[in-house]
């Protein structure tokens, strides 16, 4: 869009003595080692916040100006060029690929203001494109005092607001942020939005020995249903190959992409991520991928890909697709095979991605997610604040409803009989 101006030549502003804000339209300006140090050890940091991952999004043509994603990354540096804080940001022409929906806000904004030449898009967005992975977005240098870290987060937020005001943009948003970041943003006058995802956690204290041990922890009807679903896949003659990191061959990636694209094409959509993106991340971040390939009579028929953080023992699911129809194959490829792998490899958490109550019966429990939003127009901000208050109440009730349907056995009280197997 011609109205989007992201030239960063005049966007370097001294915030306080010895600290400077820089805006980057060209990600090659950012030192990868310093940026990755900010992302190291944080939830969702590897691979999703690594500069190699984010650059692959842009350089592959997946999240780039041609697709409505204009990179405008933000860093805070000292006078020696040391990176103290950073935020992945894009100027967006739409709200596709975000998983936190604000289309109704855009419609209300434009019905009220478009006649005056003021539009909701473009907006400024902090997110990992096409990836609903909770974690930090306001990255700060580890080891600093908590108060200093929060001050740096506040500087990032202030810079985002100021850029929107200077450009005349409607709003700025940070999606799937940590609770700490949400608190800092709320203190700065931003609005918090609540959501729900489904995550599996390994058993605390005594981790599951194997998948059968995990099944034994579930209520009888849930356990039997999973056993029935797995039996259907076996009886269809389907087996699985699992490859990690450098074991994944170019031919495996080709078949995975065929499956991944098929999932979108069945919905009448083009896939968000290009084949070139996967080639780039396979080369730049080879240790962050685990591929499950379903075989029938020796031929591949489905594929599911996990992103993994080996250091934090967290797995993220999943990109998936199939070229043949087999009952319950989706559940086997996307949940049971990954959970069995996580248990075997000693992983602590498996995040199942956005939405999907069907995950609850398979051992993934509801967890809260957060996003934060700043809107320039006072009237729209007040209306959205009222909406978010009502929505938060509904989300709380929804989580209570989900908690009551948890699939795990209850620990018996003293004197109570334990559930029979």
């Amino acid at each position: 869009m011609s109205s989007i101006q992201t030239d960063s030549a005049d966007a370097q502003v001294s915030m306080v003595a010895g600290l400077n804000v820089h805006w980057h339209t060209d990600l090659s300006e950012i030192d990868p080692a310093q940026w990755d140090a900010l992302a190291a050890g944080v939830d969702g940091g590897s691979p999703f916040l690594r500069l190699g991952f984010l650059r692959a999004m842009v350089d592959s043509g997946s999240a780039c100006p041609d697709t409505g994603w204009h990179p405008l990354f933000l860093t805070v540096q000292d006078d020696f060029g040391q990176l103290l804080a950073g935020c992945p940001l894009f100027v967006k022409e739409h709200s596709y690929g975000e998983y936190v929906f604000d289309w109704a806000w855009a419609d209300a904004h434009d019905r009220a203001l478009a006649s005056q030449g003021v539009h909701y898009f473009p907006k400024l967005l902090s997110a990992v494109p096409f990836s609903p992975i909770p974690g930090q977005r306001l990255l700060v240098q580890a080891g600093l005092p908590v108060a200093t870290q929060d001050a740096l987060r506040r500087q990032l937020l202030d810079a985002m607001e100021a850029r929107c005001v200077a450009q005349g943009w409607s709003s700025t948003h940070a999606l799937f942020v940590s609770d700490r970041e949400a608190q800092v943003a709320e203190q700065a006058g931003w609005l918090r939005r609540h959501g729900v995802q489904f995550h599996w956690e390994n058993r605390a204290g005594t981790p599951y020995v194997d998948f059968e041990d995990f099944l034994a922890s579930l209520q009888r009807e849930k356990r039997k249903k999973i056993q029935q679903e797995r039996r259907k896949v076996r009886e269809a003659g389907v087996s699985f190959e699992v490859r990690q990191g450098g074991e994944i061959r170019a031919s495996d990636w080709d078949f995975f992409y065929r499956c991944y694209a098929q999932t979108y094409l069945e919905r009448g959509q083009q896939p968000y991520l290009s084949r070139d993106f996967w080639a780039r991340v396979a080369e730049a971040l080879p240790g962050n991928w685990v591929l499950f390939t379903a075989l029938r009579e020796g031929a591949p028929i489905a594929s599911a890909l996990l992103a993994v953080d080996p250091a934090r023992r967290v797995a993220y699911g999943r990109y998936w697709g199939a070229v043949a129809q087999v009952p319950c194959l989706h559940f086997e490829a996307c949940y049971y095979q990954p959970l069995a792998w996580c248990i075997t490899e000693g992983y602590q958490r498996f995040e199942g991605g956005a939405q999907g109550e069907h995950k609850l019966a398979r051992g993934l429990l509801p967890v809260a997610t957060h996003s934060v939003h700043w809107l320039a127009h006072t009237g729209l901000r007040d209306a959205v604040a009222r909406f978010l208050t009502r929505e938060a109440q509904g989300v709380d009730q929804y989580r209570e409803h989900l908690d009551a349907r948890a699939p795990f056995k209850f620990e018996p009280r003293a004197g109570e009989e334990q559930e029979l197997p």
Side-chain angles (χ1 to χ4, degrees), residues 105-120 377 379-380:
W105 305 359
D107 179 65
H109 179 281
D110 287 356
R111 281 190 286 108
L113 300 172
S115 62
Q116 304 172 33
V118 181
H119 299 274
Y120 190 78
H377 191 272
L380 179 65

Side-chain angles (χ1 to χ4, degrees), residues 37-74:
L38 297 180
V42 306
D43 280 341
S46 184
F48 299 99
L49 293 172
R50 297 276 297 276
L51 194 63
F53 185 93
L54 295 166
R55 284 196 62 177
M57 284 279 183
V58 176
D59 295 344
S60 68
S62 299
C64 66
D66 286 345
T67 59
W69 296 75
H70 300 253
L72 188 62
F73 280 34
L74 173 61

Side-chain angles (χ1 to χ4, degrees), residues 127-366:
V128 180
F130 321 117
S131 305
I133 305 299
Q136 295 186 28
R137 298 294 176 263
L138 309 174
L139 302 175
V140 296
Q141 191 177 96
L144 296 173
V146 171
T148 303
Q149 292 188 9
D150 284 346
L152 287 168
R153 294 184 180 109
R154 179 62 185 264
Q155 283 198 353
L156 292 170
L157 294 169
D158 288 348
M160 293 159 67
E161 289 182 35
R163 189 66 192 251
C164 284
V165 171
Q167 301 283 168
W169 295 334
S170 70
S171 54
T172 180
H173 315 257
L175 308 184
F176 300 106
V177 300
S178 69
D179 183 61
R180 183 71 182 188
E181 291 170 323
Q183 292 177 31
V184 173
E186 283 186 303
Q187 291 170 3
W190 290 44
L191 304 177
R192 186 197 296 223
R193 190 173 194 180
H194 301 266
V196 175
Q197 286 188 359
F198 295 85
H199 297 175
W200 173 86
E201 295 275 354
N202 209 333
R203 189 166 51 198
T206 55
Y208 298 113
V209 175
D210 53 25
F211 192 79
E212 291 304 315
D213 189 24
F214 162 65
L215 281 183
S217 71
L218 299 177
Q219 297 167 9
R220 184 187 311 161
E221 64 176 280
K222 303 295 192 299
R223 179 170 65 249
K224 288 186 174 181
K225 183 172 181 59
I226 291 173
Q227 291 169 332
Q228 291 169 356
E229 291 173 343
R230 302 201 79 185
R231 189 179 306 118
K232 289 180 181 179
V233 176
R234 290 195 304 271
E235 290 174 349
V238 176
S239 61
F240 279 82
E241 287 182 346
V242 183
R243 288 192 170 91
Q244 300 175 233
E247 299 172 351
I248 306 174
R249 305 164 301 192
S251 59
D252 298 321
W253 282 110
D254 287 339
F255 180 70
F256 158 73
Y257 188 75
R258 177 186 170 194
C259 293
Y260 164 76
Q262 180 67 25
T263 300
Y264 284 86
L265 295 175
E266 288 174 356
R267 303 172 188 160
Q269 301 173 349
Q270 290 297 313
Y272 282 134
L273 301 172
S274 68
R275 178 64 183 91
D276 184 45
F277 166 79
W278 294 109
R280 290 173 183 270
V281 294
E283 180 179 358
L285 304 163
N288 291 108
W289 308 104
V290 178
L291 183 66
F292 300 84
T293 303
L295 305 171
R296 187 170 60 185
E297 297 180 353
I301 62 169
S303 192
L305 183 71
L306 298 190
V308 296
D309 184 341
R312 294 178 65 80
R313 314 306 282 175
V314 180
Y316 304 92
R318 73 294 170 256
Y319 307 94
W320 128 277
V323 297
Q325 299 297 317
V326 174
C328 301
L329 180 57
H330 170 261
F331 298 135
E332 181 68 29
C334 296
Y335 303 110
Y336 307 145
Q337 288 288 324
L339 287 179
W341 182 89
C342 285
I343 292 169
T344 298
E345 297 297 323
Y347 270 56
Q348 298 303 306
R349 187 168 76 247
F350 169 64
E351 299 190 5
Q355 304 169 340
E357 283 188 27
H358 61 275
K359 299 168 186 172
L360 183 66
R362 291 160 179 89
L364 284 75
L365 299 181

